[in-house]
Amino acid sequence: MGAYIIRRIGQSIIVLFGISIIAFLLLYAVPADPARIIAGPHATPEVVAQIRQDLGLNLPIYQQYLHYLWDLVRGNLGTSYIFHRPVLGMIGERMGPTAELALGCWIAELIIGIPLGIYTARHANKKRDMVVSALALVGISIPVYWLGLLLLVLFGFKLQIFPLGGSGGFQYLILPAITYGITGAAYYTRLLKSSMLDVMNQDYIRTARAKGASERRVVWNHVLRNALIPVITFGGIDIGYLLAGVVLVEETFNWNGMGMLAITSIQNQDIPVIMGTVLLLGVFVVIFNLLVDITYGLVDPRIRYD
């Protein structure tokens, strides 16, 4: 197990290194001049040239990347061109609200998706399965911003049960979590149903039933435990993306998190902040993929890491 974890950490570092190169090259290709952005529209060419020299923008691209990589190793993500503040500090301020929102959305997905997945698997090919499956398809198809606006109008404006956007308390979290939970739960429902149907056709399940085990015991002790492996995989990746910024949900509900920071940075062409958020996305996805791989062995003892 130890050797496997070390090997996976090494692979993760290589992946993050590749992400940093790709992101740097893509942003370098953007037709924007950071020096002009910092100097403002009325700055003289001399001022713009001085800023460009101070930032090292006149250097070849590989030297710019090496400087960025060296700063990155030392924990320095640069300084915002627009707000003139360290990027790491700006991201740190938004991490708390985004983590709160991501956790709420993820729990909502599981609360809705897993029971429906079990239900549809146990009643496969029946009318109730078809109804739930159709609703799951609708849930996948609904744009999250459209559903969010609909819930805001209904529960925030008409009924005035929940606040009309913003962040700062549990009452602000409910509508965004439900919005993402409805759209995201459909994936868990369909995935768990498919996985459970595969497991139900295995010989050891038929053996358990032949020995007189109750249907509840078969489902909870034998089927569900093995069927959860792909759900765990998807869940780990899912929460990684959620932590990196549920952009549309934050934008719809005016949630002051990573997503809002990313949108503002893109609009302002604030390249250091964009790079910081992209790298953070990669870090979260890689970390949760690693945790998922390690969790496999705990869920299914048949899996070995040799």
Side-chain angles (χ1 to χ4, degrees):
M1 172 69 92
Y4 174 78
I5 293 175
I6 293 173
R7 188 168 65 250
R8 289 285 288 112
I9 290 175
Q11 293 171 347
S12 301
I13 292 173
I14 294 173
V15 170
L16 291 175
F17 181 67
I19 291 173
S20 70
I21 292 177
I22 294 172
F24 193 86
L25 291 177
L26 288 177
L27 289 176
Y28 187 84
V30 172
D33 186 355
R36 172 59 67 183
I37 295 172
I38 296 172
H42 304 296
T44 62
E46 291 76 15
V47 172
V48 175
Q50 183 63 47
I51 294 175
R52 189 176 292 117
Q53 182 176 352
D54 293 342
L55 293 176
L57 299 176
N58 291 327
L59 297 173
I61 184 172
Y62 74 92
Q63 289 189 15
Q64 293 184 43
Y65 174 73
L66 290 176
H67 288 165
Y68 180 80
L69 194 61
W70 175 241
D71 289 338
L72 196 63
V73 170
R74 294 183 297 168
N76 180 12
L77 294 178
T79 303
S80 167
Y81 290 158
I82 305 301
F83 300 102
H84 307 291
R85 295 181 54 204
V87 174
L88 191 61
M90 294 177 64
I91 291 176
E93 291 173 357
R94 305 297 185 99
M95 274 302 302
T98 292
E100 180 186 355
L101 178 61
L103 185 61
C105 293
W106 192 60
I107 291 174
E109 285 179 324
L110 297 181
I111 289 176
I112 299 171
I114 288 183
L116 290 180
I118 297 172
Y119 183 81
T120 52
R122 295 188 63 182
H123 301 88
N125 301 321
K126 297 179 181 176
K127 285 186 179 179
R128 59 189 78 177
D129 166 40
M130 296 177 184
V131 171
V132 175
S133 297
L135 292 176
L137 183 61
V138 172
I140 292 176
S141 307
I142 295 177
V144 66
Y145 58 88
W146 182 85
L147 180 60
L149 291 175
L150 187 67
L151 294 179
L152 272 177
V153 170
L154 179 59
F155 295 103
F157 183 71
K158 295 285 186 183
L159 302 178
Q160 298 185 355
I161 298 175
F162 300 110
L164 280 168
S167 56
F170 183 71
Q171 70 273 23
Y172 293 92
L173 178 62
I174 296 175
L175 278 186
I178 291 175
T179 300
Y180 203 90
I182 291 175
T183 55
Y187 292 100
Y188 287 94
T189 299
R190 292 165 65 92
L191 185 62
L192 183 57
K193 175 191 173 185
S194 174
S195 181
M196 285 185 66
L197 291 178
D198 286 341
V199 175
M200 283 177 174
N201 291 323
Q202 299 296 319
D203 291 338
Y204 66 90
I205 298 299
R206 284 191 285 269
T207 302
R209 284 177 172 146
K211 288 182 176 179
S214 65
E215 187 62 21
R216 181 184 296 272
R217 182 181 176 85
V218 169
V219 170
W220 288 100
N221 289 7
H222 301 286
V223 176
L224 190 58
R225 184 171 182 178
N226 294 293
L228 278 176
I229 292 177
V231 177
I232 291 173
T233 304
F234 181 76
I237 298 172
D238 188 28
I239 197 169
Y241 280 111
L242 285 170
L243 278 172
V246 276
V247 178
L248 290 178
V249 177
E250 290 187 359
E251 175 72 7
T252 303
F253 290 93
N254 195 27
W255 191 274
N256 195 27
M258 289 284 298
M260 290 287 287
L261 178 64
I263 291 175
T264 304
S265 304
I266 293 171
Q267 290 172 341
N268 293 328
Q269 298 181 337
D270 197 348
I271 292 175
V273 182
I274 298 173
M275 279 291 295
T277 52
V278 169
L279 286 175
L280 195 66
L281 167 65
V283 169
F284 281 136
V285 172
V286 166
I287 288 177
F288 278 91
N289 269 315
L290 178 62
L291 293 177
V292 165
D293 289 345
I294 296 172
T295 308
Y296 275 161
L298 301 177
V299 175
D300 189 350
R302 295 172 299 176
I303 296 177
R304 295 289 180 266
Y305 296 98
D306 298 333

